[in-house]
Amino acid sequence: GAAGLLSEIETDEGRLPIGVYCRLGGAGPSHIALLDTGATWTVIGRELVEAFGVEVVDFGTRQTLGSRFGRHIGVVVGIHLTLLAEPGSGDDLELPDARALVVDEWPGPMVVGFRGVLEAVRVGIDPGARPGEGALYFGPAG
């Protein structure tokens, strides 16, 4: 699938250098997450999980996360995550077995990072794909 490149976009959580529309759970509203190829984990705040009523599978594994917001402890969960393509630009990419680190009181945006999501996805960023905007391409790895 493909979507317009969301760069330097303002969200409720602040300015995101690169954003991606995604859906938590199998259905429901979309959310703009920070796409961060340098982030070790995909990170979701507990508040967002609860607000979306997302079902998670708690693996009971705790991880310490170092970020620009300081150190946080989160729990590794299994989650259904979908990267959303624009209409007419291919298919959404469903990741029913994605993993994320859920952090209580996470002060930042949802982060789509390497562990749990991007390690299972091919991602391409083309800033000159469309006049005036770029494109974000994604598909399954392999």
Side-chain angles (χ1 to χ4, degrees), residues 104-140:
D104 294 335
E105 300 180 28
W106 176 245
M110 177 181 164
V111 178
V112 174
F114 186 74
R115 283 217 180 122
V117 175
L118 295 179
E119 65 187 346
V121 176
R122 285 191 179 172
V123 176
I125 298 171
D126 185 351
R130 301 172 182 174
E133 67 176 48
L136 173 69
Y137 302 100
F138 48 82

Side-chain angles (χ1 to χ4, degrees), residues 1 3 9 18 22 31 34 52 55 57 73 82 91 97 99 101 106 109 118 142:
I9 186 164
I18 298 178
C22 59
H31 184 76
L34 170 65
F52 278 73
E55 183 179 324
V57 177
I73 296 174
T82 305
D91 297 325
D97 299 318
R99 305 260 170 140
L101 193 63
W106 176 245
L118 295 179

Side-chain angles (χ1 to χ4, degrees), residues 34-88:
L34 170 65
L35 177 70
D36 187 346
T37 59
T40 301
W41 279 100
T42 295
V43 182
I44 306 171
R46 174 83 55 197
E47 184 177 304
L48 186 62
V49 170
E50 292 173 358
F52 278 73
V54 178
E55 183 179 324
V56 298
V57 177
D58 185 340
F59 293 107
T61 304
R62 303 260 183 257
Q63 292 284 325
T64 300
L65 174 72
S67 76
R68 64 186 169 130
F69 301 115
R71 294 186 104 39
H72 293 275
I73 296 174
V75 62
V76 178
V77 300
I79 192 164
H80 188 131
L81 178 73
T82 305
L83 301 179
L84 302 175
E86 288 181 355

